[in-house]
Amino acid sequence: METALHAVLGAAEQDLEDAVDSAASPLAAAGDRWPHVSRAVLARAEQLVDGCWRRGWQPADLVRVVRRELQPAHVRLAVDLVAAQHRRQPLPGPGPRWTAQLDELEAAVGWGDDAEFLDAAGRRESTGRFGTAGCVLRVLRLLARLPAIPPVDAPAAPGPSAPASGPSAGTASGTASGGGRIPARIRALLAKAEATEYGEEAEALTAKAQELMSRYSISEALLAAGGSGPQEVPASVRIGVDAPYEAAKASLLDAVAAANRCRTVWSPEFGFSTVVGFGTDLEAVELLHTSLLLQATTAMTRAVAGRESARRGGGRARTKDYRQSFLISYAGRIRQRLSDAAGHAVRDAAAGAAGAADGMEGGGPGASLPAERLLPVLAAREEAVEDAADRMFPSTTSHSLKGRDAEGWSDGAAAADRAELRRPRRPSGPAHPRPGAPG
């Protein structure tokens, strides 16, 4: 097993196919020693997966990168290897988010003795020993070659005694929020926005949800600054950014994060963005981004259908440029709308409305500082987030996106901007710059 893996690890990319075949052949020809090969595979895989955890990776990240690089059979095998490592060497106190990732992946040991692992995988994929051995070697090569990445520090559980902790590879993030601090009314608003067929209603519901999330976050910030709430430090989570149109989706996530005083760093080679911020804000970003991505996809699908129907089955609406431009434009308008909603909440709080969110189920945390101290409190939290992000990522590059299809750009902006906010408001501050218009 070690000889085969060494040969595959040392192979150049252009020679990989031949290297895998050459290495898989003696493994498949092991005869009655095949069960020993199965045990050796799992023993080596457990070491490699443990090394991934120590280099900052988490279950969802690892499986995501296998999905991006290889085939579905390799993904299923990677999930098996994660389950095997967790069974043998569970991390001490991995936390609810790590456990949530394992649950979402359905990472469970579905074979009996380790000697039966390769046979079980072969039956599932309908492959013989040679094919199974080749699949294993490709996955192990990928795991062994993954670089170190900045470990994320998931938000501490809510409560006055929640400890503030530094970054740790043993604390996991996932697509589901772990803290559960966002009130039920906000979740209900977003659920309605996702379910409605009317664009104007979805826009109004989403804007209201953002405003309530901002007000709730402000109240928590005031409580912490006044010493009445848990003393938090910025934390971080990773959120998947999947193909296609990754750049546009990363831009949408950045728009949501900016409105909630968080910072994002996109890692396109691995298919995720790291979001840095305070606990409640991170949960708001995860919740709102998931909802908006679903709304954007639904709106784009309807726009494509409308364009194609008007053209009797043809036209640019089916092109990649159209869809990319649609999502870039959508993200730009959403950035403005969420920024406006968050700005309204800040101005209301500064005017003395920083108490419980209006009509919020169970009420939000009450303010314990005078309103005139609100802006310095928020500025200090934003500075703390920037400092934490700069420590995690001392070197970053900015991305500038431009749409290439005028119809897609126009339809994307319309989808994000159909509705005006229902309540009249004072003029907002300067909005974030929009992404570049189509050339």
Side-chain angles (χ1 to χ4, degrees), residues 150-248:
V152 296
D153 174 26
S161 60
S165 58
S168 167
T171 308
S173 69
T175 55
S177 296
R181 289 182 275 198
I182 297 297
R185 183 185 175 191
I186 296 175
R187 297 177 184 274
L189 285 171
L190 292 177
K192 290 180 181 178
E194 295 163 18
T196 182
E197 297 182 1
Y198 302 101
E200 291 187 1
E201 184 181 9
E203 291 288 342
L205 290 167
T206 302
K208 184 62 176 177
Q210 174 62 69
E211 186 174 349
L212 290 181
M213 283 190 285
S214 295
R215 293 166 70 181
Y216 191 81
S217 173
I218 288 167
S219 296
E220 282 209 335
L222 288 174
L223 279 172
S228 301
Q231 301 303 302
E232 291 184 278
V233 295
S236 54
V237 297
R238 284 196 281 264
I239 296 178
V241 181
D242 297 321
Y245 318 117
E246 299 99 317

Side-chain angles (χ1 to χ4, degrees), residues 3 44 58 63 94 123 137 167 205 223 275 307 315 371 398-399:
T3 301
R44 194 69 177 94
Q58 298 176 349
V63 173
R123 286 193 298 271
L137 290 171
L205 290 167
L223 279 172
V275 188
R307 290 283 184 184
S398 298
H399 289 264

Side-chain angles (χ1 to χ4, degrees), residues 88-294:
R88 190 71 58 85
Q89 302 173 15
L91 289 171
R97 297 175 68 86
W98 187 283
T99 303
Q101 287 186 24
L102 295 175
D103 290 343
E104 186 174 350
L105 293 171
E106 298 182 352
V109 173
W111 58 92
D113 188 272
D114 285 354
E116 303 170 5
F117 169 68
L118 289 180
D119 280 338
R123 286 193 298 271
R124 181 183 62 203
E125 307 300 338
S126 300
T127 56
R129 289 184 176 182
F130 178 78
T132 303
C135 186
V136 164
L137 290 171
R138 286 183 179 274
V139 173
L140 295 183
R141 170 186 162 97
L142 180 55
L143 299 184
R145 292 162 65 95
L146 289 178
I149 58 176
V152 296
D153 174 26
S161 60
S165 58
S168 167
T171 308
S173 69
T175 55
S177 296
R181 289 182 275 198
I182 297 297
R185 183 185 175 191
I186 296 175
R187 297 177 184 274
L189 285 171
L190 292 177
K192 290 180 181 178
E194 295 163 18
T196 182
E197 297 182 1
Y198 302 101
E200 291 187 1
E201 184 181 9
E203 291 288 342
L205 290 167
T206 302
K208 184 62 176 177
Q210 174 62 69
E211 186 174 349
L212 290 181
M213 283 190 285
S214 295
R215 293 166 70 181
Y216 191 81
S217 173
I218 288 167
S219 296
E220 282 209 335
L222 288 174
L223 279 172
S228 301
Q231 301 303 302
E232 291 184 278
V233 295
S236 54
V237 297
R238 284 196 281 264
I239 296 178
V241 181
D242 297 321
Y245 318 117
E246 299 99 317
K249 293 176 181 177
S251 179
L252 178 61
L253 175 57
D254 184 70
V256 176
N260 289 279
R261 291 181 293 280
C262 296
R263 181 172 162 187
T264 66
V265 177
W266 179 36
S267 300
E269 67 275 28
F270 301 133
F272 60 70
S273 285
T274 304
V275 188
V276 184
F278 284 86
T280 298
D281 298 330
L282 289 175
E283 189 178 349
V285 169
E286 290 186 284
L287 186 66
L288 187 55
H289 170 255
T290 300
S291 177
L292 281 171
L293 188 58
L294 175 60

Side-chain angles (χ1 to χ4, degrees), residues 71 80 100 124 133 158 227 260 271 280 299 301-302 318 323 333 385 416:
Q71 300 301 315
D80 287 343
R124 181 183 62 203
N260 289 279
T280 298
T301 300
R302 289 173 181 158
R318 293 186 297 179
R323 295 169 186 266
R333 291 296 296 129
V385 168

